[in-house]
Amino acid sequence: MNIAPLVQSDVKRVSPYASSGSLRPHLLVHTAVALMEEEIFVGVLSFKDLTIKNKVLAIDCLTPKPSIDCHTSLETAIGLMQEHQKEVLPVLAANRFVGILTKTVLVSALSRQGIDVGAVFDQMGISPSEQPPTLQALTTFALHQNQLLRTVAHDIRSPLARVSALIELSALTTDAAQKETYFQLMQENIKRTFLMLDDLYQVSGRGDLSVPIKSVSLRLSEVLTELTAHYQLDASQKGIHFFWDIEECNDTVTLDKFQFIRALDNLVSNAFKFTPAGKRVFLRLYMDQDQQLTVAIQDEGIGIPPDSLPKLFIPFSGTNREGTHGERSVGLGLSITKQILDQLQIKITIESQEGKGTQVYLRMGAGTPAYQRMA
Amino acid sequence: MGKADKKYAISLSFQEISLPSVEDILVLGKASTQGKNGLAKTFEYLVPDTFVMVEIDDHPNVEAIFINKRILSKISVDQVQRILADKVYPFTSPQEILKVDFKVVVHYETIEID
C-alpha cells in the first residue's frame, strides 16, 4: 500500500517571509503550514521547527525534511520519518506540493493494515527505543494530549483575561504614563503566555506533564512585588480588596521563576475566584517560627467543603466549582500547581473552613534545593 | 490639571542615514532571532547584487557572513574568512549580529617598469 490515501492536502499555504509569531497560533492547532513563494514550494514548517529555531521569519525556522511522493510505501515513509526525526513530511508530485503526511496518521494506518510496525522497524535496524508508538500507545498518547489541551485552556486563561482587562483600561485613560504601564503589563502577560505555550509544547511529546526546570538564584520578595501589580488588577476587576505584606527576610532562593509564577498565579487566581466582591485576599511573605520561608495566600472566600480537601490535587476529581462570579473551573489548576511545586521541591498546605475562607501556604525549608540560606 | 496648563519641551535632531547600515561585512550569530534567509532577502531588496552570503558550517557561534562584493574584487572569500575567524569570531556570541568595517587598501612597495 502507498501513502496516497493518507495525504492531508488542506494545508495552509503562507509566504516564507511571514513572521513566525503570526503562524504560531495556527501551528498550535494544525500540524504544519506549507511555505510557498509565488507557487514555488519552499518547505513545510511545523511548530517544533518554530520552537527549535526561534527566528523572526518562517523561512529561517525551516528544518530540512525529505520529500516523498504519493507512490511512496508506508514502510519507506515511516523509515524516513524515523531516520530524520520528523513528525511530518511534505508530499510532492512532479515537484509540486500536494500535501503532508503526519507520523500519527501513518502509524495508525500501519496498525490498521495489520502490519507489525515493530517487525518493520526491526528489519530496518531501528531499535525499539527509537520506534514510533503502537496503536495502543497512540491511544494513551491521545488521552494525554486531551489532558494537555485542557491544561493549555486552563493556564492561558489568566494572562489573556488580564490582557483583555488592560486593553479596556488603556482605552479609558488619557494619561500617557498610565497607558505605558498598562502596555508593559500587557507585554509581560503575553510573554508569559508564549513561554507557557512553549513549555506545554515541550511536554506534549512525553507521557506526563512534568515541565522543564531552569532554576536561578533570586529574591522572592522581588518576584512577589513584581506580581502585585497584576494581582491588584485582577482584584479590582472583581471588586476584591487585595493586600500584600512582604517581610524583609532572608529570601534568596534557587527557583525557576517562570514555573513558580505559574503555580502562584493558579493559587492567587483561585483565591480571587472563590472570594466574593467586597471581601479581602492577602499575599504574604515571611519567615515562620520553624525558619521556613513561607508564601501565604489567604482569602475571605467561600472556603472548601471538608470532603473535597483530600481530593484537591487530583485532576478532574469533581471538586471543581463555579467561582463566585460564575467563573468556569476546569478541575486541573491545583493538580498542575502541585506538580510544578513538587518539581520545585516546595511544600504546599491548604487549610480551609467553609464560609470563612482558605489559607494556602508554600514553604521552603532550609536545606531544600529551593531555599538556600545565604550566609 | 487642564490641557492649557501643560507645556511641552521637544528635543529634535536629524541626520542622514543609508540603508542598510552595513557597508562592508555582517557577521550573523547562530542564535540571532534574525536568520540568514531573511537577511539575504533584506539585502536583495535594499541593495541588489551588492552582498554575497557565505554560510559558516564549522563555527559554533556563527551562522553566516554577508560580504560586500567590492571587497571580494580585491581579496578572496577564503582570505576574508580566515581574517574574520582569527579577529572577529572569537568575540561573536551566538545571539549577536556584528557589523564589521573591513577596508582593503592595496599598496605596492616597488613597481618595476621596463
Side-chain angles (χ1 to χ4, degrees):
Chain A
M1 182 187 170
N2 61 38
I3 57 133
L6 309 176
V7 176
Q8 184 189 331
S9 56
D10 58 339
V11 180
K12 184 173 177 169
R13 272 95 162 148
V14 296
S15 160
Y17 300 100
S19 78
S20 49
S22 68
L23 299 177
R24 196 182 282 263
H26 182 83
L27 285 173
L28 275 170
V29 183
H30 301 92
T31 312
V33 293
L35 304 187
M36 309 285 290
E37 189 168 25
E38 294 168 358
E39 298 301 310
I40 296 169
F41 173 68
V42 177
V44 158
L45 182 77
S46 67
F47 191 81
K48 189 177 175 185
D49 293 335
L50 281 193
T51 309
I52 293 170
K53 293 291 194 96
N54 199 22
K55 302 279 186 189
V56 172
L57 297 182
I59 190 167
D60 285 315
C61 294
L62 269 184
T63 58
K65 299 174 189 70
S67 62
I68 51 177
D69 62 34
C70 290
H71 305 295
T72 305
S73 70
L74 303 188
E75 290 87 346
T76 306
I78 197 76
L80 281 170
M81 283 181 181
Q82 285 307 108
E83 186 186 340
H84 296 271
Q85 295 289 302
K86 300 294 171 196
E87 286 167 9
V88 58
L89 294 180
V91 183
L92 305 184
N95 285 330
R96 291 192 62 227
F97 174 73
V98 292
I100 57 170
L101 179 68
T102 64
K103 188 189 265 184
T104 315
V105 168
L106 183 54
V107 173
S108 170
L110 279 165
S111 300
R112 277 202 309 275
Q113 289 276 306
I115 295 172
D116 182 352
V117 184
V120 173
F121 287 116
D122 288 342
Q123 277 175 5
M124 291 174 175
I126 297 169
S127 69
S129 63
E130 293 168 329
Q131 292 176 12
T134 60
L135 192 60
Q136 189 188 357
L138 275 174
T139 311
T140 312
F141 186 70
L143 289 171
H144 167 68
Q145 295 284 55
N146 192 24
Q147 189 183 358
L148 188 71
L149 199 64
R150 287 166 188 259
T151 310
V152 174
H154 178 278
D155 273 16
I156 64 173
R157 185 173 290 136
S158 292
L160 287 181
R162 277 191 202 127
V163 171
S164 170
L166 286 161
I167 290 170
E168 281 176 27
L169 286 170
S170 60
L172 292 173
T173 183
T174 51
D175 183 332
Q178 192 62 52
K179 266 189 200 288
E180 182 61 31
T181 307
Y182 290 150
F183 286 139
Q184 275 173 9
L185 290 173
M186 275 186 230
Q187 225 166 13
E188 281 170 32
N189 278 289
I190 289 169
K191 194 177 160 194
R192 273 159 63 185
T193 310
F194 276 128
L195 286 171
M196 217 177 275
L197 292 175
D198 285 347
D199 258 9
L200 287 164
Y201 176 73
Q202 283 186 41
V203 303
S204 69
R206 299 203 303 265
D208 60 51
L209 294 178
S210 62
V211 290
I213 300 292
K214 299 160 209 142
S215 295
V216 292
S217 181
L218 46 85
R219 300 275 314 266
L220 207 50
S221 56
E222 288 172 6
V223 177
L224 296 186
T225 306
E226 205 178 293
L227 291 171
T228 52
H230 299 278
Y231 296 152
Q232 257 186 309
L233 177 75
D234 294 346
S236 68
Q237 291 293 302
K238 216 180 150 181
I240 291 169
H241 304 293
F242 174 63
F243 299 92
W244 64 94
D245 179 12
I246 296 168
E247 198 176 273
E248 283 288 323
C249 57
N250 194 350
D251 64 338
T252 303
V253 291
T254 304
L255 269 186
D256 183 318
K257 182 180 171 185
F258 170 68
Q259 298 302 346
F260 176 76
I261 291 177
R262 208 175 141 197
L264 190 67
D265 263 1
N266 270 330
L267 296 170
V268 175
S269 76
N270 268 355
F272 290 144
K273 192 189 287 182
F274 297 110
T275 301
K279 296 284 186 178
R280 299 178 297 177
V281 169
F282 302 87
L283 174 67
R284 298 174 59 211
L285 172 71
Y286 58 95
M287 191 71 72
D288 75 3
Q289 53 196 16
D290 298 326
Q291 291 302 297
Q292 297 194 98
L293 190 61
T294 305
V295 177
I297 304 115
Q298 295 160 306
D299 67 59
E300 295 178 341
I302 57 175
I304 303 166
D307 57 334
S308 293
L309 274 170
K311 296 184 277 183
L312 286 177
F313 299 125
I314 303 168
F316 312 118
S317 60
T319 54
N320 55 310
R321 297 172 293 170
E322 269 196 356
T324 52
H325 279 205
E327 297 99 323
R328 287 177 57 204
S329 194
V330 180
L332 258 180
L334 282 174
S335 63
I336 297 167
T337 304
K338 178 79 166 66
Q339 183 148 12
I340 294 171
L341 293 171
D342 283 349
Q343 282 188 262
L344 297 176
Q345 301 197 300
I346 296 174
K347 192 180 169 198
I348 178 170
T349 314
I350 300 183
E351 296 167 4
S352 188
Q353 208 178 342
E354 262 192 298
K356 293 264 173 90
T358 301
Q359 299 85 45
V360 181
Y361 301 97
L362 307 182
R363 292 192 174 97
M364 283 151 266
T368 62
Y371 179 47
Q372 293 179 343
R373 182 189 289 273
M374 303 300 279
Chain B
M1 187 188 288
K3 196 176 178 181
D5 298 331
K6 284 185 182 169
K7 285 184 179 176
Y8 295 90
I10 296 169
S11 170
L12 185 148
S13 67
F14 48 88
Q15 66 182 86
E16 186 188 14
I17 62 156
S18 59
L19 289 174
S21 61
V22 179
E23 287 178 10
D24 303 326
I25 293 173
L26 184 140
V27 178
L28 175 65
K30 271 198 184 351
S32 156
T33 49
Q34 277 75 30
K36 61 186 178 200
N37 295 297
L39 281 175
K41 195 74 171 176
T42 307
F43 280 123
E44 192 185 313
Y45 278 136
L46 293 173
V47 278
D49 206 28
T50 305
F51 282 86
V52 170
M53 180 176 80
V54 181
E55 294 185 40
I56 308 294
D57 300 321
D58 57 355
H59 195 277
N61 293 355
V62 180
E63 181 171 26
I65 55 174
F66 292 80
I67 310 171
N68 194 314
K69 285 183 177 175
R70 158 174 57 75
I71 294 168
L72 299 181
S73 67
K74 299 178 184 69
I75 62 172
S76 71
V77 171
D78 283 348
Q79 284 171 312
V80 173
Q81 279 212 70
R82 277 204 298 275
I83 294 166
L84 294 178
D86 187 34
K87 309 289 184 194
V88 181
Y89 295 173
F91 302 97
T92 310
S93 71
Q95 291 80 18
E96 277 178 327
I97 301 178
L98 293 184
K99 170 188 166 181
V100 181
D101 291 328
F102 195 104
K103 305 294 178 216
V104 182
V105 178
V106 182
H107 176 76
Y108 292 96
E109 288 209 346
T110 310
I111 300 174
E112 292 182 1
I113 51 171
D114 293 329

